[in-house]
Amino acid sequence: MPEGKNRRWLLEKRPDGPVGPHNFRWTESEVPAPGEGQMLVRNLWLSFDPTQVLNMVAAPEEGGYPLGEAMGSLAASQVVESRLPHFRPGDLVYGFSHWEDYSVVDGKGYWDTATVPPGIAPHLAVGALGITGMVAYFGVVEVGRPGPGETFVVSAAAGGVGSIAAQVARLLGARVIGIAGGQEKCDWLRDEAHIDGAIDHRREDVAARLDALCPNGIDVFFDNVAGPVLDLALARLRPHGRVVLCGSTSRYRVTPRPPGPQNYSRLIMVNGRMEGLLARDYFDRFPEAISVLKGWLDAGKIRSKEDVVVGLEHAPEALMRLYAGANVGKQLLKVADAPPGTST
Ligand SMILES: NC(=O)c1ccc[n+]([C@@H]2O[C@H](COP(=O)([O-])OP(=O)(O)OC[C@H]3O[C@@H](n4cnc5c(N)ncnc54)[C@H](OP(=O)(O)O)[C@@H]3O)[C@@H](O)[C@H]2O)c1
């Protein structure tokens, strides 16, 4: 059993407005011991996702995080002690964990705990080669299906999911336009992700820029945020256009929820299609996507952009960065160093 304290962020108060430090409480306690059917893991990397706020609001019986317990999170971790048959001390794993140094997990949940595949760095297992990359890959390849020369537009394009989706679509031969907030994000999209155009929604007229960059309309819109940008894309959908509903970040914290898209009738006029997806629908095909994405990463054909906050004490700030649009790339938090010899 490791010596020392277990530093933890507890979920103290459910949000009734913007999430802030007041929703959490810092505490230190003994490192827990796993019971039968459990294991103790040391968290290395925490993943941040806008939907965590939905789980903070929801009651446990609706799938929400319990009050007074360590805040939930996907994480890459190392097994310290295991009373589960498939995991041994030293294994690197990813799955559902908590904002704390050490967590006791049973390996079951919305995401079952899995071993990090050999040769993959733990931070990639909760980023480009984790749920983030999986939903981006399958959302493009299976739902949006952009063909060569088609126009593909993605919102929150410099975020975790958007940055991978944009590059996958480019490799499929699409003309890719990203919508993102801020110069730094747009520069990265053009210069590092090598997409065809970027629209800065903080300082540009998005409608006018879409008209300029997509003069013949949009074949595929990959949506991470919903709200007004979804309506702008729907209005420009080409015949047989597709809208991939991956996320709706603009709506997660707003109550009552604003009405849905105004321009959905465009789907009728163009024989269009809107289709949602969940990453876990494709769980059985994750190895295929990991293999393809890793090949592209290793060959330098795509880049994994990560926004790393260092130190467990900064976890609330890391979550708030998503809603401030401050993250460039996948928002991660490094809790502890990976063990020596681990792929990085
Ligand atoms: N379907 C699935 O299985 C699945 C799995 C994983 C994630 N998702 C969803 O995919 C989406 C992207 O997730 P991610 O982890 O990659 O997050 P992310 O896009 O890296 O981070 C959130 C970004 O959303 C934008 N944003 C924040 N607040 C907004 C608002 N009020 N209105 C409009 N835009 C806002 C900001 O980007 P800009 O300022 O640059 O626009 C911000 O940087 C989320 O909606 C997430 O829930 C779905």
Side-chain angles (χ1 to χ4, degrees):
M1 186 67 57
E3 292 180 357
K5 295 289 180 195
N6 189 23
R7 303 172 305 151
R8 321 177 73 200
W9 278 110
L10 308 185
L11 177 59
E12 175 80 349
K13 185 176 180 300
R14 298 202 184 281
D16 53 7
V19 171
H22 61 281
N23 295 110
F24 308 98
R25 183 161 61 86
W26 177 262
T27 183
E28 296 184 3
S29 56
E30 299 300 316
V31 177
E36 193 52 44
Q38 296 179 324
M39 60 181 172
L40 178 70
V41 298
R42 182 182 189 208
N43 296 313
L44 305 175
W45 294 88
L46 300 179
S47 165
F48 290 80
D49 184 307
T51 50
Q52 282 175 286
V53 171
L54 295 179
N55 291 326
M56 289 172 67
V57 173
E61 52 274 23
E62 299 164 331
Y65 302 141
L67 279 177
E69 293 190 15
M71 170 73 183
S73 175
L74 286 172
S77 318
Q78 186 175 34
V79 178
V80 177
E81 186 182 340
S82 175
R83 299 181 73 181
L84 285 169
H86 304 301
F87 299 100
R88 290 173 310 171
D91 285 353
L92 292 171
V93 297
Y94 67 101
F96 184 73
S97 194
H98 300 276
W99 288 5
E100 55 189 352
D101 289 309
Y102 295 93
S103 297
V104 167
V105 298
D106 63 8
K108 299 256 176 290
Y110 186 85
W111 294 108
D112 286 353
T113 303
T115 306
V116 176
I120 290 180
H123 60 98
L124 287 175
V126 282
L129 301 180
I131 309 310
T132 301
M134 298 302 101
V135 78
Y137 179 84
F138 289 111
V140 175
V141 169
E142 292 296 341
V143 183
R145 300 185 183 198
E150 285 196 321
T151 297
F152 178 100
V153 177
V154 50
S155 58
V161 174
S163 60
I164 300 296
Q167 296 177 89
V168 171
R170 168 174 60 72
L171 287 175
L172 295 185
R175 230 184 116 254
V176 179
I177 308 299
I179 303 171
Q183 184 75 43
E184 183 187 358
K185 294 182 183 184
C186 290
D187 287 347
W188 183 84
L189 286 165
R190 279 185 292 252
D191 301 342
E192 304 282 331
H194 301 299
I195 66 169
D196 299 276
I199 299 173
D200 180 354
H201 67 73
R202 288 200 192 147
R203 64 177 185 89
E204 294 185 302
D205 177 337
V206 178
R209 291 284 288 145
L210 280 173
D211 289 339
L213 290 170
C214 313
N216 299 319
I218 297 170
D219 294 290
V220 180
F221 178 56
F222 189 110
D223 195 16
N224 288 307
V225 304
V229 73
L230 173 56
D231 265 322
L232 293 176
L234 278 169
R236 289 159 180 78
L237 209 60
R238 280 171 54 77
H240 301 286
R242 287 84 75 197
V243 177
V244 182
L245 299 177
C246 174
S248 52
T249 304
S250 72
R251 298 170 60 88
Y252 292 163
R253 290 186 318 172
V254 184
T255 49
R257 294 251 162 83
Q262 299 297 302
N263 292 335
Y264 76 94
S265 308
R266 176 79 181 166
L267 295 169
I268 301 168
M269 308 310 291
V270 298
N271 296 98
R273 173 165 65 84
M274 277 171 91
E275 185 175 336
L277 85 154
L278 287 172
R280 81 174 193 172
D281 300 339
Y282 294 90
F283 191 73
D284 292 346
R285 292 179 57 194
F286 279 14
E288 163 198 332
I290 290 170
S291 169
V292 173
L293 289 172
K294 184 172 186 317
W296 285 340
L297 282 168
D298 290 348
K301 292 183 174 175
I302 63 172
R303 303 259 166 111
S304 168
K305 181 72 174 164
E306 293 168 353
D307 194 317
V308 177
V309 169
V310 178
L312 182 63
E313 60 275 22
H314 300 299
E317 295 152 44
L319 182 62
M320 287 154 58
R321 287 176 66 77
L322 294 174
Y323 281 97
N327 63 303
V328 187
K330 170 70 189 176
Q331 185 67 61
L332 295 175
L333 183 141
K334 183 177 178 181
V335 185
D337 281 324
T342 307
S343 304
T344 53

